[in-house]
Amino acid sequence: MSDTKKTATLSIGDKTLELPIHTPTAGPDVIDIRRLYADGGVFTYDPGFTSTAACESTITFIDGDKGELLHRGYPIDQLAGKSHFLEVCYLLLYGELPSAAQLEDFESRVTNHTMLHEQMQYFFRGFRRDAHPMATMVGVVGAMSAFYHDSTDIADPWQREVASIRLIAKMPTIAAWAYKYSIGQPFVYPRNDLDYASNFLRMCFAVPAEDYEVNPILSRAMDRIFTLHADHEQNASTSTVRLASSSGANPFACIAAGIACLWGPAHGGANQACLEMLREIGTVDRIPEFIERAKDKNDPFRLMGFGHRVYKNFDPRAKVMKQSADEVLELLGVENNPTLQVAKELEAAALADPYFAEKKLFPNVDFYSGIILEAMGFPTEMFTPIFALSRTVGWISQWKEQISDPGLKIGRPRQLYTGETLRDYVNVEDR
Ligand code: SDX
């Protein structure tokens, strides 16, 4: 825990409390209210946790006003430009960039865990073909605890390590198989001679009838998308994983809970919702109509891919994603993609509109990712599974950090109760 030389004075009726203030290495000071109810007899009230630090962490730091994102101190634009996903996974999991030997060993361990237990394919076959791949992923990842019993004891550091590697390694296979199953094509097994991103693309797009060559520019773009989604502080799905793990649930159950939370259109489901919105807008001349709808308080419509709970400036990931979108679409010869044109015009129009400027609504990570993924051949239903695949390392890193804390308690928020006070039961004949 950081130092607590400063205190905050809180007067409650005739009580005056001195609450310790923690000074972090970056970000705002934190008032420690752990004794508030015991000493002051009151709760705090913060639905949505807009002003609440739920944990101490050393993994990821975000400055929403600057539009800054650091993983173990390294800025996301440097990692996206100079590193690659498995090296970022090592950094998130272990706290430092690996040596060449450490990286080779880590990549070898991940590569050799990419296959699924053969029985699991029958689990996939229990779903309807038209099941959303996220439904399949929630089910299959939760079911991993039924296939990998030897890595469910969270008290055993070795089993925690094995579960971490298994989840990072197997998520591309699970996501690819969910896709293949949904289009009625045979499962494609991972290959140990391919890098992580190339393996995923091949498992998604190869068919037994012919050889499949991975385009190195597409696999680089895929790897960069994985890196940009790897971790993001205490977002909704990561907080879900932390709360689930605080009860001692096994790692596969905790990650399945995170996948379920990520699915929502306000969170990881926004990339699918954003592309569907861009398609609904269709042409540049309809942008003003949708901008007005987004500003209309009586219209539930929101610009998907815009706004963020924390970023009140550009999401730094969106900047890198925009560069990738230009590169990928130029490579594929679809730089005149109408959806991309609408996206670029919509971004310019929204950023020029006082409503979005006043409310500090900028494009977020989901705004451009869908355009790249669609250009690469993925259906919109696969956008959030790819987000879940990428975020697994963030969830696992935060999970490991939490269950390694000797002071871990089960998460148990209280409430502001405004329901009925005590009253006696009335028999039905007397009502
Ligand atoms: C992710 O938390 C993370 O880190 C998440 C994530 C990660 O990596 O894990 O970054 C991934 O989830 C990115 C966000 C993806 N979601 C979307 O793109 C969906 C569209 N965005 C909105 O639903 C919204 O912006 C949220 C959910 C992202 C944030 O919601 P908040 O915190 O409630 O937004 P806010 O309080 O900052 O809103 C301020 C005002 C409000 O209006 P008023 O009540 O003040 O009048 O801006 C309005 C909002 O109604 N507003 C929008 C808007 N987002 C907020 N108006 C139009 N379009 C939008 N997109």
Side-chain angles (χ1 to χ4, degrees), residues 62 229 231-232 234-237 262 265-268 270 294-295 297 301-312 315 317 355-356 359 361 364-366 387 391:
I62 300 170
H229 288 83
D231 189 50
H232 211 240
Q234 306 310 320
N235 58 84
S237 53
L262 185 76
H267 190 14
K295 292 156 61 174
K297 280 292 153 226
F301 173 78
R302 287 194 163 180
L303 282 188
M304 304 316 281
F306 267 79
H308 199 275
R309 172 58 56 79
V310 175
Y311 288 124
K312 301 310 172 189
D315 180 335
R317 301 167 296 177
Y355 173 90
F356 294 90
K359 295 188 183 294
L361 301 176
N364 58 46
V365 67
D366 294 300
F387 193 149
R391 184 54 56 87

Side-chain angles (χ1 to χ4, degrees), residues 86 93-94 106 108-117 120 140-141 144-153 158-174 196 251-252 255 389 392-393 396 399-400:
L86 282 190
L93 282 168
Y94 306 116
F106 180 72
S108 168
R109 282 189 290 143
V110 170
T111 299
N112 288 288
H113 277 83
T114 50
M115 284 181 68
L116 290 178
H117 188 296
M120 290 196 87
V140 171
V141 172
M144 285 176 76
S145 52
F147 288 86
Y148 299 104
H149 296 97
D150 60 344
S151 58
T152 52
D153 176 3
W158 173 245
Q159 292 197 33
R160 295 205 296 261
E161 179 70 12
V162 171
S164 304
I165 296 293
R166 275 176 166 157
L167 279 158
I168 293 166
K170 297 179 192 305
M171 285 300 264
T173 311
I174 292 168
Y196 193 86
F252 305 112
I255 300 305
L389 180 173
T392 295
V393 64
I396 277 293
W399 167 79
K400 279 181 71 178

Side-chain angles (χ1 to χ4, degrees), residues 203-368:
M203 286 191 282
C204 288
F205 298 125
V207 289
E210 58 189 28
D211 292 338
Y212 178 82
E213 281 299 314
V214 179
N215 181 312
I217 294 181
L218 294 188
S219 63
R220 176 71 189 134
M222 189 80 262
D223 187 272
R224 185 177 291 169
I225 286 176
F226 292 159
T227 296
L228 292 172
H229 288 83
D231 189 50
H232 211 240
E233 200 215 61
Q234 306 310 320
N235 58 84
S237 53
T238 297
S239 300
T240 300
V241 170
R242 278 183 173 263
L243 197 55
S245 77
S246 74
S247 74
N250 74 69
F252 305 112
C254 295
I255 300 305
I259 296 172
C261 176
L262 185 76
W263 196 356
H267 190 14
N271 50 21
Q272 173 174 346
C274 180
L275 200 89
E276 288 164 354
M277 173 194 74
L278 292 172
R279 280 211 199 101
E280 186 188 358
I281 295 173
T283 53
V284 170
D285 62 311
R286 296 191 65 205
I287 288 174
E289 168 198 340
F290 284 83
I291 293 263
E292 289 314 305
R293 282 188 57 194
K295 292 156 61 174
D296 178 356
K297 280 292 153 226
N298 299 317
D299 188 331
F301 173 78
R302 287 194 163 180
L303 282 188
M304 304 316 281
F306 267 79
H308 199 275
R309 172 58 56 79
V310 175
Y311 288 124
K312 301 310 172 189
N313 196 326
F314 244 90
D315 180 335
R317 301 167 296 177
K319 288 183 182 175
V320 181
M321 202 72 82
K322 184 173 180 179
Q323 293 164 7
S324 281
D326 288 334
E327 289 165 15
V328 168
L329 276 87
E330 187 179 349
L331 167 85
L332 297 174
V334 289
E335 60 269 34
N336 299 317
N337 175 311
T339 308
L340 180 63
Q341 300 317 318
V342 169
K344 288 185 172 180
E345 291 298 322
L346 174 64
E347 179 188 16
L351 294 180
D353 188 297
Y355 173 90
F356 294 90
E358 285 156 22
K359 295 188 183 294
K360 300 183 185 297
L361 301 176
F362 293 88
N364 58 46
V365 67
D366 294 300
F367 188 67
Y368 281 103

